[in-house]
Amino acid sequence: MTSAPETTVVLEAGFARALPELAVEWRAAAAPEPALLALNEALASELGLDAGWLRTSDGLAFLLGNVVPDGAIPVAQGYAGHQFGNYSPRLGDGRALLLGELVGSDGTRRDLHLKGSGATPFSRGGDGFAAAGPMLREYVISEAMHALGIPTTRALAVVATGQPVYRDQPLPGAVLARVAASHLRVGTFQYAANLESPDLLRRLADYAIARHYPAAAGAEQPYLALFEAVAQRQASLIAHWMLVGFIHGVMNTDNMTISGETIDYGPCAFMDVFDPATVFSSIDHGGRYAYGNQPAIAAWNLARFAEALLPLLADDQDRAIAVATEALNGFGPAFSHVWSAGLAAKIGLTEPAEDVVDDLLELLRDNHIDFTSFFRALARHARGDREPARGLFPDLARFDSWAARWSALEPDADLMDRVNPVYVPRNHLVEEALTAATDGDLAPVTRLLAAVSQPFDERPGFERYAEPAPDDFGRYQTFCGT
Ligand code: AMP
Ligand code: MG
């Protein structure tokens, strides 16, 4: 095993230096008995980190934030946010730290961030810790999203701390080390806008442009270009979520990135049976963050982003509002474009076919059809093996009539298999794996990761990972603040 000295890891502190008003220097809590639960070797090597070293006690101390490379300035980041529509001026990293930035040989700068690393000045009464189950859950689901080709933060490692965390019961504590294009959020801009320093807001916007949208710097109105670029990325992101049945579950403005990556895997889950009203989060009583509401909520969040940016959009407030409103109107068409093209591809068509798709979605909802497995069954139908899809429909006549219209469009089955996953982290599989992990058996998590890391390749031995939940699994609920 190669072992590199800890000092070879360089963590820059670009954010902490550029925007000190948004950062509080802080250190992770000491972990009494570190033990590695999961390590993403592929990501480690992509980042230029030595996986062999990360497994050593020095490596674990690094992954826990307990030993910090020279020159790094770990910080808790400040941000605000609308949570379920209600504004909180001060959220921030209550159980997280930005350890620093890893700069690749190609110049890409990525945040190395810890979750579950102890209380900070932003903890608001929370303990600052996280249980191993939910951190492994973020690991599995974020890596599944990455393998599905969806922009997301990545999971580098989960390290058990050896210290219990107290929820309904004592649970094993753990820290997730994750990597992101950045942790700038809509809520970061809301926090900066609240401090009423036009200079700070401008520096934050300039930082976001330099880091994520360098082309905006050359635009006639750079801050408007920043807003438009974020809106476009978010429109595409939400469409891609929905094309694989992903429900984020807590699309508060502090959980929406400026980079356009998916962030903060808390109460998220993949939809089983297709229904736009699907909600899994235990606290989402009104269905604000239901599957089908996600585009409207993203637009609502972007309106909050625009409000924060107003002082930069024009000197005159009415003029700034007019400019922002017009830009926001671009979100709907941008979303529809990606969504329609994506749905067409799911049924093997290269051109959007709105009426065919709309009728199909209605058919899926009315017949309670499993969203993920249906599209792979439909690809078999396109190849002449009709039973797997037909057999799913209680209302067979209605399906046959739809399938006749669709077949006439000459769908491409290979295209369907390229865009429709066989394996997603299904709720019953995630629960099974996390229950085992909490009891000390990591094998089911490893196996589930193997399935969802190659979501489009049907493989022998993984049959049960492709199957819908058993009937006795019941209604699924997910939780925040775990
Ligand atoms: P979330 O909706 O999970 O992204 O978190 C919302 C806010 O609650 C963030 O400011 C978190 O840092 C904070 N938070 C969540 N859980 C804890 C905890 N156990 N201790 C301290 N802060 C927490
Ligand atoms: Mg969050």
Side-chain angles (χ1 to χ4, degrees):
M1 195 183 343
T2 48
S3 100
E6 176 262 318
T7 47
T8 60
V9 180
V10 176
L11 287 178
E12 296 198 1
F15 176 86
R17 287 184 207 287
L19 297 156
E21 299 93 329
L22 307 180
V24 178
E25 271 188 56
W26 205 253
R27 288 298 170 105
E33 220 180 303
L36 188 63
L37 299 181
L39 176 65
N40 191 338
E41 300 210 359
L43 178 60
S45 90
E46 210 180 287
L47 296 169
L49 298 172
D50 183 327
W53 175 72
L54 288 173
R55 290 179 182 280
T56 66
S57 58
D58 284 354
L60 295 189
F62 167 73
L63 288 169
L64 287 161
N66 290 157
V67 174
V68 172
D70 286 345
I73 309 176
V75 295
Q77 291 178 294
Y79 51 84
H82 278 87
Q83 299 178 300
F84 286 89
N86 302 309
Y87 187 61
S88 290
R90 189 183 157 93
L91 293 171
D93 287 337
R95 56 163 170 175
L97 286 180
L98 172 62
L99 269 190
E101 299 130 28
L102 292 158
V103 183
S105 49
D106 61 352
T108 33
R109 180 176 293 265
R110 288 190 266 200
D111 281 6
L112 178 59
H113 178 99
L114 305 181
K115 192 162 168 178
S117 49
T120 75
F122 297 105
S123 294
R124 298 172 297 135
D127 62 6
F129 295 117
M135 296 305 99
L136 287 167
R137 193 172 192 278
E138 170 156 344
Y139 188 116
V140 170
I141 300 183
S142 63
E143 285 307 299
M145 293 289 270
H146 173 72
L148 288 164
I150 299 176
T152 177
T153 61
R154 303 276 317 266
L156 176 62
V158 178
V159 183
T161 59
Q163 187 167 287
V165 299
Y166 296 92
R167 299 295 179 254
D168 296 347
Q169 50 184 317
L171 294 167
V175 172
L176 167 75
R178 76 178 178 199
V179 173
S182 85
H183 284 77
L184 299 180
R185 308 152 189 263
V186 167
T188 315
F189 281 81
Q190 293 180 293
Y191 187 84
N194 237 26
L195 295 179
E196 290 181 20
S197 152
D199 161 68
L200 169 63
L201 187 62
R202 189 175 300 273
R203 265 188 292 125
L204 173 60
D206 289 340
Y207 181 87
I209 288 172
R211 193 153 170 190
H212 301 300
Y213 302 99
E220 203 176 312
Q221 298 182 68
Y223 305 116
L224 178 60
L226 167 65
F227 177 77
E228 288 171 337
V230 174
Q232 294 285 323
R233 289 244 185 119
Q234 285 291 341
S236 168
L237 179 68
I238 308 300
H240 282 105
W241 285 357
M242 292 176 64
L243 288 166
V244 296
F246 179 77
I247 303 171
H248 184 283
V250 62
M251 289 176 69
N252 296 334
T253 55
D254 50 304
N255 291 336
M256 185 186 240
T257 58
I258 298 306
S259 68
E261 286 182 344
T262 313
I263 196 171
D264 280 2
Y265 292 83
C268 63
F270 282 75
M271 180 170 61
D272 293 301
V273 165
F274 180 75
D275 184 347
T278 305
V279 170
F280 292 113
S281 169
S282 62
I283 58 169
D284 191 359
H285 305 297
R288 178 181 173 91
Y289 300 139
Y291 172 83
N293 266 1
Q294 297 184 114
I297 290 294
W300 191 90
N301 289 348
L302 288 165
R304 307 289 79 76
F305 180 39
E307 276 166 12
L309 285 176
L310 282 181
L312 302 180
L313 294 180
D315 291 335
D316 169 69
Q317 176 153 343
D318 290 340
R319 174 83 199 119
I321 291 172
V323 165
T325 306
E326 199 194 321
L328 192 57
N329 288 338
F331 176 84
F335 169 80
S336 296
H337 178 74
V338 182
W339 171 241
S340 302
L343 279 175
K346 284 181 84 68
I347 59 168
L349 308 179
T350 48
E351 296 287 329
E354 245 129 73
D355 50 336
V356 179
V357 158
D358 290 349
D359 291 349
L360 173 63
L361 293 181
E362 230 174 83
L363 197 58
L364 295 182
R365 189 196 55 201
D366 294 350
N367 285 270
H368 307 288
I369 304 296
D370 180 78
F371 187 67
T372 301
S373 57
F374 168 75
F375 290 97
R376 295 294 289 216
L378 192 66
R380 292 173 67 173
H381 192 296
R383 295 191 175 98
D385 176 14
R386 300 184 172 185
E387 261 332 288
R390 287 185 89 233
L392 300 170
F393 287 84
D395 189 348
L396 196 54
R398 200 171 146 200
F399 174 73
D400 281 342
S401 127
W402 178 84
R405 277 164 67 206
W406 165 70
S407 297
L409 300 171
E410 298 181 10
D412 174 350
D414 294 337
L415 167 61
M416 296 172 74
D417 284 349
R418 282 198 300 277
V419 300
N420 293 312
V422 187
Y423 312 111
V424 295
R426 289 177 176 278
N427 302 318
H428 66 289
L429 299 171
V430 170
E431 287 310 305
E432 170 194 88
L434 297 183
T435 302
T438 301
D439 291 341
D441 177 10
L442 289 164
V445 165
T446 307
R447 186 92 179 138
L448 177 57
L449 264 170
V452 301
S453 299
Q454 283 170 255
F456 302 103
D457 304 340
E458 194 165 3
R459 282 159 288 157
F462 286 97
E463 289 77 7
R464 66 185 291 268
Y465 294 86
E467 279 162 21
D471 289 338
D472 63 3
F473 183 62
R475 196 171 114 55
Y476 186 56
Q477 264 206 336
T478 56
F479 302 92
C480 289
T482 48

